[in-house]
Amino acid sequence: MPRYAAEVAYLGAPFAGFQAQPNRPSVQGVLEAALGALSGAPVRCHGAGRTDAGVHARGQVVHFDLPRPWDPFRLRGALAAHLPPSVEILQVAQVPDSFHARFDALWREYRFFLWNQAACVPHLRPFVWWVKSPLDWTPIQRLLPSLRGRHDFGAFCRSVDRPEDSWRTLLHVSCRRRGPLVRFRFRGDGFLTNMVRILVGTLEGVARGGMEPDALLNLLEGGGRSEAGRTAPPQGLFFWRVGYAPSPWATPSSFHDRVQ
């Protein structure tokens, strides 16, 4: 059975998350339904990472096995024809039988978008965290370098999902502003449940003056969820990219090149 990898983009609002759940709409559910329609039998797909309800993806990666070979270009089009408008297949490639979308990932990248102004363009509201009160971004730029590297991010995890080992490595952290639009970028070897949303919520608390910068830095040495800031809403978060070596895509798509 040949194995394929697919890069998938989706809107988070219609779904209870990526992972299939009983009696609730999921991205994995609609992907597997589309694959089953093509193959005439149930097909399981595996994602590079999970996203919560309302969280979007620009570059989720999944892999799956099919009972017969397909031309990747034709397979992309056939899958797209069986998916709702909220889900799009960006590219498909045949991969070795050993490839695993989750376990072969070297890093994952998330981006979070915040709109900081009293008024927000209505077209952007489904994709940003709208914060109306003024924020001071000076201490944030000073803090970001300290978030890079390996730390105990347990305080930035939903309490019920905190694992015994809550150490993770952030390879890249940045914050850029263009007018009222603020973009956070986090790339790491792994992420805890709600980790990016709680990090952004805590950074917003610092920028608002509700938390001292040193208090955030102390949490990188361990701490409880109650000591960190609020959880930022899901609509501002995008699962952006996944890194592999070698890349499963023989030739990067023009769409991928434009939005890196």
Side-chain angles (χ1 to χ4, degrees):
M1 295 179 68
R3 178 162 294 186
Y4 297 89
E7 187 179 38
V8 186
Y10 51 85
L11 298 175
F15 301 106
F18 173 80
Q19 188 176 19
Q21 304 172 51
N23 304 315
R24 302 187 71 188
S26 68
V27 180
Q28 185 180 24
V30 299
L31 287 172
E32 291 180 351
L35 289 164
L38 294 184
S39 63
V43 175
R44 179 77 169 175
C45 75
H46 304 265
R50 300 176 181 178
T51 52
D52 295 330
V55 174
H56 312 293
R58 206 296 304 167
Q60 170 74 275
V61 175
V62 301
H63 83 262
F64 49 85
D65 299 330
L66 293 178
R68 69 174 181 87
W70 279 79
D71 172 76
F73 182 79
R74 292 187 63 194
L75 177 57
R76 192 212 68 79
L79 277 174
H82 287 85
L83 290 169
S86 53
V87 181
E88 184 62 78
I89 305 295
L90 303 182
Q91 54 186 339
V92 175
Q94 187 168 354
V95 292
D97 294 346
S98 59
F99 176 84
H100 197 288
R102 177 185 173 191
F103 298 124
D104 287 350
L106 300 178
W107 48 260
R108 297 161 182 84
E109 182 175 311
Y110 288 85
R111 298 192 185 187
F112 192 99
F113 296 89
L114 182 149
W115 186 269
N116 186 208
Q117 197 174 59
C120 180
V121 180
H123 312 82
L124 294 181
R125 289 178 194 169
F127 308 106
V128 298
W129 179 17
W130 181 14
V131 179
K132 302 178 183 179
S133 57
L135 300 175
D136 180 7
W137 296 102
T138 303
I140 302 305
Q141 297 296 348
R142 295 173 181 166
L143 276 174
L144 292 181
S146 299
L147 297 180
R148 300 183 192 123
R150 187 161 180 82
H151 304 287
D152 183 352
F153 287 99
F156 304 95
C157 176
R158 186 166 61 186
S159 298
V160 296
D161 295 314
R162 182 170 180 170
E164 290 187 13
D165 180 7
S166 53
W167 287 76
R168 297 293 185 272
T169 301
L170 286 182
L171 306 170
H172 178 90
V173 184
S174 65
C175 175
R176 292 186 178 181
R177 290 182 293 142
R178 178 172 293 182
L181 183 63
V182 183
R183 186 216 70 188
F184 292 92
R185 180 183 173 199
F186 300 89
R187 178 182 290 185
D189 63 355
F191 292 85
L192 306 172
T193 304
N194 287 168
M195 178 173 155
V196 172
R197 292 168 58 193
I198 298 172
L199 277 170
V200 172
T202 305
L203 290 167
E204 186 270 346
V206 173
R208 185 169 26 90
M211 174 181 280
E212 293 297 324
D214 286 347
L216 188 155
L217 295 178
N218 290 337
L219 292 178
L220 298 177
E221 301 175 5
R225 171 66 188 90
S226 61
E227 300 174 72
R230 54 180 167 170
T231 303
Q235 72 270 14
L237 182 59
F238 287 73
F239 186 9
W240 200 258
R241 294 177 62 196
V242 188
Y244 299 96
S247 169
W249 324 117
T251 303
S253 70
S254 58
F255 178 84
H256 184 280
D257 291 340
R258 287 199 304 269
V259 297
Q260 285 191 62

